Amino acid sequence: MKLYELVGTDRTQGFSPYVWRTRMALGHKALPVEMVPLIFTEIPKLDFCTAKTVPILEHDGNYITDSWDIACYLEDNFPDRPSLFGGAAGKAYASFFHFSSFYTLVIPLFQALAYDIFTCLDDRDREYFRRSREARLGKSLEAAHDRQSENLAIFHKQLWPCNSILKAQDFLSGDHPAYVDYILYGLFQWARGVSSVTLVNADEPLYHWVRRMDNLFGGLGKVIRPRG
Ligand SMILES: N[C@@H](CCC(=O)N[C@@H](CS)C(=O)NCC(=O)O)C(=O)O
């Protein structure tokens, strides 16, 4: 099994939030995987599939090219391993969070991190990233960076349901982590890999949840070193 991921100048520091969902899902299922690092501009040049984004999972001649589809593929193809969703209701909860977190969490965090991501990139990616992301932001990377603290505050405000849930349980999925936790953890890994920003404070339940997540699967998430 191979997982194609996204890196910058440091090929050990894969920073895609979507790839991190999949990495954690593979850890959950205890499936060994070979990581294949790519930079942005290498993705469209792959000759075996037409995917424009990572993660891409290669398994038994299949290429699955979307993080949600990969989670469903792993759940369907490895039913004897621990479940990522815990049944139909858990799958619906994960699907809801997958969609709802896009506008509430992914977008404000992207706006906060866009410039920091740029600083991590291979030189060959910089022109592409600046052009495509400035079009998406509607402003320059530098102008977005000037509003970093405002966007982090928006992101932080939207975390309140997660902090509320985690007052009563260790994981968003209950006593044990599952795919909903991996969706959120991917965002924390994204920020950790590209930026020195602080997302939550030590007195918040999410702070302790991040530490619990970091320790899963032999400390898998700790391969991402905080940027000083
Ligand atoms: N819906 C996709 C989104 C994946 C995605 O946006 N991946 C980004 C990296 S975080 C990517 O590969 N972007 C390539 C590009 O923008 O050129 C999924 O969940 O897998």
Side-chain angles (χ1 to χ4, degrees):
M1 204 175 285
K2 284 188 187 174
L3 180 63
Y4 295 79
E5 66 162 339
L6 181 63
V7 297
T9 48
D10 186 335
R11 296 179 78 78
T12 69
Q13 299 293 291
F15 59 78
S16 160
Y18 297 102
V19 173
W20 269 103
R21 297 175 184 192
T22 302
R23 284 185 86 166
M24 296 301 285
L26 290 164
H28 186 102
K29 295 261 179 206
L31 292 167
V33 66
E34 179 190 337
M35 299 302 296
V36 184
L38 299 171
I39 63 171
F40 275 107
T41 47
E42 286 173 327
I43 302 171
K45 295 180 190 150
L46 296 173
D47 56 9
F48 52 79
C49 74
T50 55
K52 300 278 179 288
T53 58
V54 290
I56 302 166
L57 185 76
E58 181 179 339
H59 176 245
D60 271 354
N62 298 312
Y63 293 95
I64 306 101
T65 60
D66 175 84
S67 62
W68 177 256
D69 291 346
I70 294 171
C72 296
Y73 178 89
L74 294 175
E75 191 72 342
D76 293 345
N77 284 276
F78 298 93
D80 299 336
R81 306 285 179 117
S83 172
L84 285 170
F85 302 129
K91 185 172 178 180
Y93 170 40
S95 173
F96 178 78
F97 192 62
H98 166 76
F99 286 114
S100 64
S101 62
F102 183 73
Y103 287 107
T104 57
L105 297 172
V106 176
I107 295 289
L109 192 57
F110 163 67
Q111 292 181 337
L113 297 179
Y115 178 81
D116 291 334
I117 297 169
F118 178 75
T119 65
C120 299
L121 296 180
D122 187 289
D123 284 346
R124 289 169 290 166
D125 271 357
R126 288 185 170 222
E127 189 276 329
Y128 163 73
F129 186 85
R130 181 178 283 285
R131 181 171 36 80
S132 58
R133 272 40 182 192
E134 289 187 344
R136 209 175 278 179
L137 290 161
K139 54 170 80 81
S140 70
L141 294 172
E142 288 76 8
H145 192 58
D146 288 343
R147 290 186 46 81
Q148 186 176 60
S149 52
E150 286 93 327
N151 281 311
L152 285 175
I154 294 168
F155 172 78
H156 186 258
K157 204 168 166 190
Q158 310 277 20
L159 288 173
W160 74 265
C162 300
N163 264 323
S164 302
I165 290 172
L166 293 171
K167 281 183 193 153
Q169 58 193 50
D170 278 354
F171 297 98
L172 297 177
S173 302
D175 293 339
H176 304 283
Y179 197 68
V180 171
D181 294 274
Y182 308 144
I183 292 175
L184 185 63
Y185 186 64
L187 299 180
F188 282 78
Q189 289 294 81
W190 191 19
R192 182 188 278 172
V194 301
S195 177
S196 57
V197 293
T198 300
L199 296 186
V200 290
N201 303 313
D203 61 353
E204 295 178 81
L206 272 167
Y207 179 90
H208 303 284
W209 171 86
V210 171
R211 265 109 213 115
R212 285 193 285 278
M213 296 298 293
D214 283 344
N215 289 327
L216 296 175
F217 319 131
L220 176 61
K222 289 193 255 190
V223 301
I224 301 302
R225 296 182 303 274
R227 275 171 69 95

